[in-house]
Amino acid sequence: MSEDFAPKASSYADQWDWLFFVLVTVSAIVVAAVLVAIVVFSIRYRKGAAAFRKDLPGAFSNRLEYGWTTATALGFLAMFWWAAATQLHHAVPPEGAVEIHVLAKQWMWKIQQPNGVQEINELHAPTGQPVELIMTSEDVIHSMFLPALRLKQDVLPGRYTYLWFNGDKPGVYHLLCAEYCGTAHSRMTGRFILMSPVDYSRWSARQPQADNAAKQGEGLFNSLGCTGCHAQNSSVHAPDLHNVYGRPVQLADGRSVVADEAYLRDSILLPGKDVVAGFDPIMPSFRGQVNEEQIMQLIAYLKSLAAPGRNK
């Protein structure tokens, strides 16, 4: 596939380029065939022309029409299956992916690397290993668009969305918002910088060191007084949060949910929504006391308490 079409930085981008060109080519052939038929028939069968107007030969029976209609439908279903299979194959990130937190707000991208390094409108990532972006928005709907990877994912307020990739070509690429998010939407741009693992480690070591999201979340957990109820030696009857993340949780109303990021977020802001079976609804809401960035840090801390292999 030609590099002149658009820069690409992963094999996934190449797959989508092939699909795009095949779809455009097939569509162009169909449109051209229909256009030619319209022109030919308009001239051939114009009013007063001495064209053959009797019954069609047997070869043009209904069975032939059914045949090409079915073949066309199967052809486009095959392309749909190709696109769906390609996308679903990349739906779930592999174990051990590098987790990078992304907070979108009008009109910037705030990035936090696994070691706590923070960036504004720049995303550094290593090549040759899977990287997962855990994203949320502080205000309106945004959309993370990495054209070099052919990846785009909406970033929503009050929810977490995910994107993962495995870049294979170091370079500096575009980072864009693909969702109109306000008057300065066009300025919500940045740089996506893919580096070899060695260069990425060197770059990371040169940045001002800071606590990672989990460590910052632990500090918040303590300062907000969460340990007063959730500590193992607490006199308050509250769930132990160790090994909660990624585990099914039985609720008081009989339902069962998996303790993912969404569940933990709801537990912080809407504690009465999913009360754990066997516990009283005594937890207060922290809505208005913590912002989206702090919620992300608290969740990162709770994920760090999970058993190895379940932190995904």
Side-chain angles (χ1 to χ4, degrees), residues 56-137:
L56 293 174
F60 291 92
S61 64
N62 289 340
R63 279 185 291 182
L64 181 59
E65 186 172 345
Y66 293 152
W68 76 50
T69 302
T70 303
T72 302
L74 291 177
F76 280 96
L77 280 175
M79 284 191 285
F80 173 79
W81 171 85
W82 183 9
T86 302
Q87 188 162 24
L88 290 176
H89 180 70
H90 292 81
V92 180
E95 290 288 340
V98 177
E99 291 188 355
I100 297 178
H101 292 87
V102 178
L103 178 64
K105 60 183 297 186
Q106 293 174 322
W107 288 272
M108 67 171 67
W109 299 101
K110 296 180 70 176
I111 314 291
Q112 186 166 27
Q113 297 282 337
N115 62 353
V117 172
Q118 297 193 1
E119 306 177 83
I120 300 292
N121 293 337
E122 285 198 345
L123 168 59
H124 288 74
T127 58
Q129 54 186 302
V131 176
E132 181 181 20
L133 305 182
I134 303 172
M135 306 182 291
T136 189
S137 169

Side-chain angles (χ1 to χ4, degrees), residues 5-234:
F5 173 62
K8 56 179 178 288
S10 71
S11 58
Y12 181 71
D14 217 18
Q15 295 175 37
W16 278 109
D17 283 357
W18 275 110
L19 178 63
F20 173 76
F21 284 119
V22 169
L23 186 60
V24 169
T25 302
V26 171
S27 299
I29 292 172
V30 172
V31 170
V34 172
L35 182 61
V36 169
I38 291 174
V39 172
V40 170
F41 289 168
S42 298
I43 298 174
R44 175 71 173 167
Y45 295 101
R46 68 187 185 280
K47 184 177 181 181
F52 179 81
R53 300 178 186 276
K54 296 183 179 178
D55 293 340
L56 293 174
F60 291 92
S61 64
N62 289 340
R63 279 185 291 182
L64 181 59
E65 186 172 345
Y66 293 152
W68 76 50
T69 302
T70 303
T72 302
L74 291 177
F76 280 96
L77 280 175
M79 284 191 285
F80 173 79
W81 171 85
W82 183 9
T86 302
Q87 188 162 24
L88 290 176
H89 180 70
H90 292 81
V92 180
E95 290 288 340
V98 177
E99 291 188 355
I100 297 178
H101 292 87
V102 178
L103 178 64
K105 60 183 297 186
Q106 293 174 322
W107 288 272
M108 67 171 67
W109 299 101
K110 296 180 70 176
I111 314 291
Q112 186 166 27
Q113 297 282 337
N115 62 353
V117 172
Q118 297 193 1
E119 306 177 83
I120 300 292
N121 293 337
E122 285 198 345
L123 168 59
H124 288 74
T127 58
Q129 54 186 302
V131 176
E132 181 181 20
L133 305 182
I134 303 172
M135 306 182 291
T136 189
S137 169
E138 190 172 290
D139 37 49
V140 300
I141 298 176
H142 302 275
S143 186
M144 169 68 79
F145 182 31
L146 301 171
L149 301 175
R150 311 295 190 265
L151 290 175
K152 184 173 77 69
Q153 174 63 55
D154 285 352
V155 183
L156 310 174
R159 291 182 58 183
Y160 290 97
T161 54
Y162 309 88
L163 198 63
W164 82 272
F165 57 84
N166 192 342
D168 59 9
K169 185 179 179 182
V172 180
Y173 306 98
H174 292 296
L175 185 162
L176 305 170
C177 178
E179 179 78 25
Y180 180 74
C181 55
T183 54
H185 161 70
S186 62
R187 297 210 309 263
M188 194 166 173
T189 61
R191 299 196 307 163
F192 171 47
I193 304 162
L194 272 177
M195 315 172 81
S196 68
V198 173
D199 289 341
Y200 177 74
S201 297
R202 289 174 179 166
W203 168 83
S204 183
R206 290 197 303 269
Q207 306 310 307
Q209 297 302 302
D211 290 336
N212 61 25
K215 191 66 178 177
Q216 292 172 328
E218 182 180 10
L220 273 173
F221 192 82
N222 293 327
S223 65
L224 292 170
C226 305
T227 51
C229 297
H230 291 287
Q232 292 180 337
N233 57 355
S234 172

